[in-house]
Amino acid sequence: MRIGEIAALVGVTSRAVRHYHHIGLLPEPARQANGYRAYTVRDAVLLARIRRLTEIGLSLDEVRDVLADDAGRELAEVLGELDADLARQEREIQERRQVLAVLLEAPLAPDGPFLSPALAALLEKAPATGSPAAAKDREHLALLDAAGGGAGAEVFAALRPLAEDPGVLALYERLDELAGAGVDDPRIAPLAAELVAAVPDEVLAVIPDGEPSPSGFGRVLLDDYPPAQREVVRRVMVALAERVRLRVHRGTP
């Protein structure tokens, strides 16, 4: 296979393949007498794994570490893993089609096609507000909804009491007030503590151990905030992750 053929087969661009060669992530194959690179099935498998790992949010350095751990595995084993991954994608597509079928049967709300039923039900209960922080929170929930493939349904259901709590609006307003503040603002610590205290235990029960984390998906959210607000949200993430860890350690149902 030539570079354009392997790129098309895996679903990436030729430019991406060249970049992976440049940074040493994808070994560059030997060139034929005519000067063209000659790619093999193993090259395609490796490139497909790089694409998959980057799609789920790993950095290229993290992808490099994963691939190093996989070095020496038999080709049949890697192909089997890729086949299982395709089967998972087929299941996810079927689940999305089922959600789409439900949406098409009902009158469409403005956000209807873009939200899962679980998130739509949560946002329907949230009181109206002009808070920029609340609007940003809604955007982040929509992002989690889209990226999670329905995995956030339990979290959204558990958040219903919090969404209906009018006291949360006051917390959003205090977060709005920190939009132009610095990371040493004295309002940061008490606001973070109150936000953590506002999250009910029912929400913690459906959050995996180690989450929420200021890395990965959490890092994307943090980068969306100005400095003082980012520090509040970071502290909330760390404190909630600790509450989850303690809950798991105690074996609380």
Side-chain angles (χ1 to χ4, degrees), residues 126-235:
T129 175
S131 164
K136 191 182 295 292
D137 205 18
R138 180 187 178 112
E139 292 175 355
H140 292 166
L141 288 173
L143 178 58
L144 173 63
D145 190 38
E154 287 185 321
V155 175
F156 298 149
L159 283 172
R160 287 278 291 275
L162 189 61
E164 297 170 353
D165 183 358
V168 173
L169 293 182
L171 297 177
Y172 276 131
E173 291 172 359
R174 289 168 59 187
L175 189 58
D176 289 331
E177 293 171 358
L178 290 172
V183 294
D184 57 348
D185 193 289
R187 295 171 292 179
I188 290 176
L191 177 55
E194 290 185 48
L195 285 168
V196 172
V199 178
D201 289 338
E202 290 74 15
V203 175
L204 302 181
V206 295
I207 296 179
D209 190 15
E211 296 293 339
S213 170
S215 61
F217 183 80
R219 183 174 56 201
V220 174
L221 302 189
L222 288 174
D223 288 345
D224 201 27
Y225 288 97
Q229 292 181 342
R230 183 186 308 128
E231 179 61 16
V232 171
V233 177
R234 187 195 67 80
R235 292 188 183 205

Side-chain angles (χ1 to χ4, degrees), residues 41-62:
V41 171
R42 182 172 286 277
D43 293 322
V45 169
L46 179 56
L47 182 58
R49 285 183 59 75
I50 294 172
R51 177 189 60 80
R52 177 59 186 155
L53 292 170
T54 56
E55 282 179 348
I56 63 176
L58 270 65
S59 69
L60 292 181
D61 285 339
E62 291 169 330

